[in-house]
Amino acid sequence: MCRLLTADRSLYHQTEPWRHPEGAIFRCNGNGAASFAKQSSRGFVLRLTAATMASTEIARQAGEGARAVPLSGHVGFDSMPDQLVNKSVNHGFCFNILCVGETGLGKSTLMDTLFNTKFEGEPTQHNQPGVTLKSNTYELQESNVRLKLTVVNTVGFGDQINKEDSYKSIVEFIDAQFEAYLQEELKIKRTLHSYHDTRIHACLYFIAPTGHSLKSLDLVTMKKLDSKVNIIPIIAKSDAISKSELAKFKIKITSELVSNGVQIYQFPTDDESVAEINSTMNSHLPFAVVGSTEEVKIGNKMVKARQYPWGTVQVENETHCDFVKLREMLIRVNMEDLREQTHTRHYELYRRCKLEEMGFKDTDPDSKPFSLQETYEAKRNEFMGELQKKEEEMRQMFVQRVKEKEAELKEAEKELHEKFDRLKKLHQDEKKKLEEKKKTLDDEVNTFKQKKTAAELLQNQAQQAGGSTTLKRDKERKNFF
Amino acid sequence: STAFVQWVGEKTPISDTSYVGIDAILEQMRRKAMKQGFEFNVMVVGQSGLGKSTLMNTLFKSKVSRKSVQPNVEERIPKTVEIKSVSHDVEEKGVRMKLTVIDTPGFGDQINNENCWQPIMKFINDQYESYLQEEININRKKRIPDSRVHCCIYFIPPTGHCLRPLDVEFMRHLSKVVNIVPVIAKADTLTLEERDSFKKTIREELRANGIDVYPQKEFDEDAEDRMINDKIREMTPFAVVGSDQEYQVNGKRILGRKTKWGTIEVENIAHCEFAYLRDLLIRTHMQNIKDITCSIHYETYRVRRLNESNILFTSNPPDHPAVQPKANGQPEEQPATPQPNGVAAQHEALSHEM
């Protein structure tokens, strides 16, 4: 696996300090060279390749004050990769795949085939009103490796008449996973090492096997997704295309992607042990795949295949389709790189944009620390100030209303008083009138009494004077009455 | 190879002999780790003359101590505790490591050693601080340089009696912020019985003072871990002897100290416990030591630091009431609690207010 590059032969025998262009000094003293030569030449070559290929890295470290020091015996830190791997094995791994593609392109079947498992689920209907994302998590285990696999499916993608907004729910979903991680990272008390990472590590984009070119929906969607997720385009149900058409199709797709500036995931070629296979595979993109969970007997083996009257398409036969290439790249060679790219590139970009959007900036190195906290607090104070201002306003309004109401009430009171006064006067007037009438009546009664008394007196006088006047008296009496 | 794919839930395997290749991720991970290299920062603390430099050189089989780097500098005992850090790039079987050895000359050497652990504490916290600063940047580095002290080796002089007040004070303060591995220095002056009783006394005193040294009981992950770590805890502190001189013993070349009464073989576990220390620090628990630093000590610092910062910044009027009645009589929403996770909450509150 380790190849001898065109190493500078002069380095083998160098005993003088060798000055690296960046200024660091490496010592290859006789001791060092000898001890490494004792090991297999591979060991020495590795050191050299480390020195030449990753010299910039070592120089960077060395430039920060470190110096390369040869060891005079076995120390034992070569077990570090094992210690790291063991820790990860104990923790388990997470891998999240997003399958984007129109209904009926065989997304679920492909997942089943890739992971050799019949995941539950039934084919979706074609009458979805919008695009929803359905996510299922499974726990898989192979030898001692436990994998928490999450498969997210775009349900209803491409089924609507108006597909302008189709990509939106996908983008929102991906962002939501980034957001959840960001929230966890920003917490004060956080548990990052036991956090279940739901960020999408790989997006398999299923292209319909038309044989012509990409649909505009595909281009638009991929363009929106390429800065958020690692896109691996694949041609679905590729047994529908003939070999010659397929080659043309692939070229057309690749050129369309390039001319539209869509950044698809490139298998990494910086690590020399996988550089070759990765760069070969890069040239085979998009992979033309066929999925099948049914087994057919070919020769004396049971293989996954699709049986037609005119022949059988074997899924794992590389001359029939690129399924094996996809599995190789996605799982066996680059799974870790996909996870790393998601974290160090896509997530960082999201985080940076999100924080800048909220108004945070990095302060210069020589100003006070805690840019995030300070900016946050400044914003918070601003917000509190605004809050207080609003409160004041509300309080003023309240006071105003109270005043108005008070004035109203006073008015009403005044009116009431006036009315009362009026009534009172009225009452007094009436009373006065009554009293006058009463007086008049009393006067009349008195007058009558007086007259009566006078009349009686006269009667008595007349009786005493004789009875002749009785007739007169009677007459008078009659006249009187 | 016949690997099988297990499942949880309603799934059925398609083929029992089909290999998916999930376990290849281990190799991928290993490859990436080899390419990136590792970092390890170890601090040595103890009075001068206890063999700290020699032990470092012995552990890493090369001249990594500060004294070896600057051999011509006149050795004088500084008036205060100084912190001197030296970094080395070492490589073994393709595994590259940036090893930083942090020396603390002057510790415990004064007449009055009050608070001599403070510069050390400050240094450790400063490393956490600079990591935190980098972590909260908007534009941050792909790989944040890790200068945090992963492990602090504390050298106990081989008196044979008990811990000195300075030892207790130091370990009591520092065990809360860093992994402490105490060792009995220059243990070739103790007989095996003296050594065992000394160790027992030390363990008692550590327990009595509530000092948790590495591996801390509360961070054992599972039963298997606890079993392994219990064995280590029973041997703490390791009685070590250091040497960078090689001698011929029984036809083999070994590291040792030659005296008139015999040669002490450093890597012979019948002679001293150096090998256990080396295995713990380097061969078996190095990753775990780094993990505890990263996910526990650093997180503790971060929590404290973020909370402190909040108190500092909310020097708003203390009579600012928590709840204000609105004009319509309903209580106002509590403003977002001052935490970075309130960043989102603040966002929400703003939208509510608008």
Side-chain angles (χ1 to χ4, degrees):
Chain A
M1 211 170 19
C2 177
R3 302 168 50 205
L4 179 60
L5 303 173
T6 52
D8 189 353
R9 282 223 75 94
S10 60
L11 281 173
Y12 276 73
H13 306 293
Q14 194 114 358
T15 46
E16 302 297 289
W18 168 58
R19 212 165 269 280
H20 184 270
E22 286 198 49
I25 301 178
F26 289 79
R27 253 173 228 287
C28 296
N29 55 22
N31 230 6
S35 65
F36 278 105
K38 261 193 214 147
Q39 297 174 18
S40 67
S41 56
R42 183 179 141 194
F44 188 37
V45 166
L46 265 175
R47 179 155 186 265
L48 255 178
T49 53
T52 49
M53 275 210 65
S55 57
T56 40
E57 237 176 55
I58 291 187
R60 187 171 41 80
Q61 291 176 6
E64 288 163 12
R67 51 179 205 135
V69 160
L71 304 175
S72 59
H74 179 61
V75 176
F77 61 84
D78 57 341
S79 65
M80 272 303 269
D82 290 325
Q83 291 184 41
L84 185 66
V85 162
N86 282 340
K87 176 184 97 160
S88 299
V89 165
N90 286 334
H91 259 119
F93 297 89
C94 254
F95 195 58
N96 310 318
I97 305 180
L98 170 67
C99 292
V100 180
E102 292 170 18
T103 320
L105 280 181
K107 304 191 286 288
S108 312
T109 313
L110 186 69
M111 286 296 111
D112 287 352
T113 322
L114 262 176
F115 291 99
N116 192 36
T117 311
K118 190 99 178 70
F119 297 120
E120 38 154 309
E122 3 166 289
T124 40
Q125 307 297 316
H126 283 254
N127 53 5
Q128 308 287 324
V131 181
T132 51
L133 286 99
K134 224 169 64 141
S135 136
N136 289 310
T137 306
Y138 310 97
E139 289 192 22
L140 305 174
Q141 182 165 345
E142 197 163 56
S143 54
N144 61 338
V145 176
R146 286 175 298 119
L147 180 74
K148 227 185 194 132
L149 174 74
T150 302
V151 178
V152 185
N153 239 313
T154 50
V155 175
F157 186 76
D159 278 339
Q160 297 79 34
I161 295 175
N162 183 356
K163 296 175 235 189
E164 267 177 1
D165 294 339
S166 292
Y167 71 87
K168 282 197 186 142
S169 28
I170 305 177
V171 169
E172 272 167 20
F173 180 83
I174 296 175
D175 280 347
Q177 311 317 307
F178 284 145
E179 184 64 31
Y181 189 88
L182 181 63
Q183 286 305 309
E184 182 64 32
E185 199 186 28
L186 289 180
K187 275 197 192 149
I188 291 195
K189 276 217 164 102
R190 55 191 192 177
T191 49
L192 276 177
H193 57 274
S194 58
Y195 176 77
H196 176 214
D197 191 3
T198 54
R199 298 173 294 181
I200 302 294
H201 300 123
C203 170
L204 294 180
Y205 196 94
F206 287 70
I207 299 167
T210 59
H212 298 159
S213 61
L214 285 173
K215 300 188 183 165
S216 46
L217 173 67
D218 296 335
L219 276 170
V220 164
T221 311
M222 280 201 266
K223 193 87 182 87
K224 292 283 179 190
L225 294 180
D226 69 355
S227 58
K228 295 195 174 282
V229 74
N230 301 315
I231 300 183
I232 301 176
I234 59 181
I235 300 170
K237 295 195 166 177
S238 65
D239 50 347
I241 316 179
S242 74
K243 216 176 172 106
S244 52
E245 281 175 352
L246 189 63
K248 281 197 218 129
F249 192 28
K250 281 194 183 185
I251 294 170
K252 190 74 174 42
I253 291 174
T254 318
S255 69
E256 280 193 321
L257 289 175
V258 164
S259 59
N260 281 281
V262 176
Q263 303 269 355
I264 57 170
Y265 175 72
Q266 293 294 310
F267 304 120
T269 49
D270 48 357
D271 186 337
E272 67 268 11
S273 47
V274 292
E276 200 186 318
I277 189 173
N278 274 346
S279 62
T280 316
M281 291 298 181
N282 275 327
S283 61
H284 279 113
L285 283 171
F287 293 134
V289 296
V290 173
S292 171
T293 52
E294 267 143 34
E295 296 199 310
V296 169
K297 199 173 180 102
I298 305 278
N300 57 352
K301 280 205 304 173
M302 294 296 283
V303 295
K304 298 194 198 84
R306 285 177 65 75
Q307 215 163 26
Y308 293 105
W310 48 87
T312 307
V313 180
Q314 295 159 42
V315 167
E316 280 168 306
N317 186 332
E318 290 203 62
T319 55
H320 288 196
C321 73
D322 294 335
F323 172 82
V324 170
K325 294 191 175 73
L326 174 68
R327 183 180 57 196
E328 195 70 19
M329 287 293 99
L330 183 68
I331 303 174
R332 297 187 190 175
V333 177
N334 297 306
M335 196 191 261
E336 183 58 24
D337 186 68
L338 284 162
R339 282 156 34 108
E340 193 182 294
Q341 291 293 325
T342 305
H343 180 66
T344 57
R345 197 145 57 91
H346 300 297
Y347 169 70
E348 282 299 308
L349 181 64
Y350 173 83
R351 177 181 175 271
R352 201 179 320 140
C353 292
K354 188 74 198 286
L355 293 178
E356 274 171 7
E357 186 188 291
M358 299 179 97
F360 297 104
K361 332 187 260 291
D362 283 335
T363 52
D364 1 296
D366 43 79
S367 69
K368 274 291 160 197
F370 257 67
S371 56
L372 213 73
Q373 193 66 12
E374 255 184 20
T375 324
Y376 168 74
E377 284 306 327
K379 278 201 148 235
R380 187 170 167 274
N381 290 338
E382 199 186 295
F383 170 69
M384 296 300 282
E386 268 181 46
L387 204 72
Q388 276 184 324
K389 210 168 69 178
K390 281 212 151 206
E391 256 178 57
E392 259 317 297
E393 268 175 48
M394 283 188 159
R395 201 177 293 131
Q396 294 290 27
M397 210 167 68
F398 180 71
V399 165
Q400 186 67 15
R401 290 241 287 260
V402 165
K403 270 203 184 109
E404 278 172 24
K405 200 74 185 197
E406 217 173 17
E408 255 177 64
L409 285 171
K410 261 205 176 84
E411 266 303 309
E413 198 180 22
K414 196 160 140 210
E415 254 177 71
L416 217 65
H417 277 303
E418 272 174 21
K419 199 166 174 190
F420 177 69
D421 283 339
R422 258 202 320 255
L423 282 172
K424 192 166 170 189
K425 186 155 181 289
L426 216 73
H427 173 251
Q428 275 178 341
D429 284 345
E430 296 265 318
K431 192 170 174 188
K432 205 157 148 202
K433 269 195 202 137
L434 268 168
E435 274 179 12
E436 270 175 20
K437 275 215 173 118
K438 188 176 180 201
K439 189 155 179 269
T440 318
L441 194 67
D442 279 340
D443 282 346
E444 276 185 23
V445 167
N446 281 342
T447 313
F448 173 69
K449 274 202 179 124
Q450 275 175 359
K451 275 199 179 154
K452 185 176 173 196
T453 320
E456 279 178 2
L457 204 69
L458 265 166
Q459 204 179 16
N460 282 343
Q461 280 178 346
Q463 243 177 354
Q464 283 172 359
S468 59
T469 50
T470 45
L471 267 164
K472 221 189 177 174
R473 256 192 277 133
D474 280 320
K475 253 197 186 169
E476 275 183 19
R477 247 194 293 146
K478 280 185 188 155
N479 288 343
F480 186 76
F481 287 105
Chain B
S1 58
T2 48
F4 69 99
V5 181
Q6 242 180 23
W7 66 98
V8 171
E10 309 155 35
K11 302 189 300 301
T12 38
I14 295 165
S15 151
D16 283 325
T17 55
S18 188
Y19 172 63
V20 177
I22 297 172
D23 55 1
I25 195 171
L26 299 183
E27 188 52 42
Q28 297 170 31
M29 196 170 245
R30 188 172 284 127
R31 228 190 322 120
K32 276 203 188 283
M34 299 270 288
K35 183 153 173 280
Q36 250 180 15
F38 297 89
E39 286 169 304
F40 193 59
N41 309 320
V42 58
M43 179 186 262
V44 286
V45 180
Q47 278 173 274
S48 64
L50 284 180
K52 303 191 290 290
S53 304
T54 314
L55 187 71
M56 282 297 107
N57 291 347
T58 320
L59 266 174
F60 291 101
K61 294 246 163 57
S62 69
K63 305 250 180 280
V64 294
S65 72
R66 176 186 58 94
K67 287 193 187 154
S68 316
V69 172
Q70 317 157 343
N72 300 322
V73 171
E74 206 177 273
E75 248 343 280
R76 85 244 180 303
I77 292 179
K79 292 248 165 51
T80 55
V81 178
E82 295 175 341
I83 314 276
K84 296 233 167 91
S85 141
V86 179
S87 294
H88 315 270
D89 280 326
V90 288
E91 194 215 316
E92 199 171 52
K93 299 217 178 100
V95 179
R96 287 175 300 117
M97 187 163 80
K98 181 173 175 214
L99 171 72
T100 303
V101 179
I102 303 148
D103 199 0
T104 53
F107 177 84
D109 288 332
Q110 321 304 329
I111 294 176
N112 181 358
N113 287 309
E114 238 168 53
N115 301 332
C116 66
W117 59 83
Q118 275 173 357
I120 298 176
M121 181 88 130
K122 180 172 183 312
F123 177 84
I124 291 176
N125 285 333
D126 283 347
Q127 307 317 304
Y128 291 145
E129 181 66 30
S130 69
Y131 192 90
L132 181 60
Q133 285 304 311
E134 188 55 47
E135 199 189 26
I136 62 173
N137 265 342
I138 308 288
N139 284 305
R140 50 189 193 184
K141 300 199 179 106
K142 206 167 183 175
R143 226 184 132 206
I144 302 176
D146 191 359
S147 62
R148 300 174 291 190
V149 178
H150 299 128
C151 176
C152 171
I153 306 180
Y154 186 75
F155 287 69
I156 300 170
T159 61
H161 298 159
C162 58
L163 290 175
R164 303 162 304 157
L166 175 63
D167 302 330
V168 174
E169 276 304 285
F170 177 87
M171 285 197 274
R172 201 160 56 82
H173 283 105
L174 276 279
S175 61
K176 301 196 182 96
V177 299
V178 72
N179 295 318
I180 295 193
V181 174
V183 297
I184 300 173
K186 297 200 164 170
D188 48 341
T189 60
L190 295 169
T191 66
L192 290 184
E193 292 81 21
E194 285 167 352
R195 179 175 88 185
D196 283 339
S197 105
F198 189 26
K199 284 215 252 178
K200 208 157 151 226
T201 313
I202 292 175
R203 282 199 292 272
E204 273 305 313
E205 284 188 288
L206 290 178
R207 199 178 4 249
N209 282 282
I211 300 172
D212 270 326
V213 297
Y214 183 83
Q216 299 92 335
K217 224 182 171 101
E218 54 178 323
F219 305 140
D220 287 340
E221 283 183 23
D222 50 34
E224 196 187 316
D225 235 22
R226 196 169 311 129
M227 212 171 63
I228 298 171
N229 291 343
D230 276 343
K231 289 207 184 82
I232 298 168
R233 285 186 279 261
E234 278 164 35
M235 285 203 281
T236 314
F238 294 119
V240 296
V241 173
S243 164
D244 41 15
Q245 299 283 340
E246 281 195 339
Y247 295 99
Q248 194 91 346
V249 171
N250 295 338
K252 283 203 300 179
R253 286 198 71 73
I254 49 99
L255 285 171
R257 282 174 67 75
K258 194 166 184 169
T259 65
K260 285 216 156 50
W261 48 92
T263 305
I264 303 151
E265 296 162 46
V266 166
E267 279 167 310
N268 184 340
I269 52 173
H271 289 196
C272 79
E273 296 177 322
F274 169 83
Y276 292 126
L277 177 70
R278 176 202 59 205
D279 287 350
L280 177 75
L281 273 186
I282 302 174
R283 295 189 186 177
T284 57
H285 283 66
M286 193 186 260
Q287 186 59 44
N288 182 247
I289 288 172
K290 290 174 66 174
D291 288 340
I292 306 258
T293 307
C294 182
S295 38
I296 296 173
H297 293 304
Y298 168 71
E299 290 295 318
T300 308
Y301 175 83
R302 183 177 173 275
V303 167
R304 202 183 71 228
R305 183 74 171 87
L306 294 183
N307 281 328
E308 261 171 28
S309 173
N310 293 339
I311 297 169
L312 185 74
F313 277 107
T314 54
S315 52
N316 274 337
D319 53 350
H320 178 81
V323 174
Q324 293 275 344
K326 275 190 183 150
N328 58 1
Q330 279 182 338
E332 209 165 64
E333 276 182 298
Q334 170 79 28
T337 48
Q339 292 171 10
N341 73 337
V343 162
Q346 175 204 33
H347 206 54
E348 281 170 38
L350 271 170
S351 57
H352 283 160
E353 282 303 317
M354 302 313 163

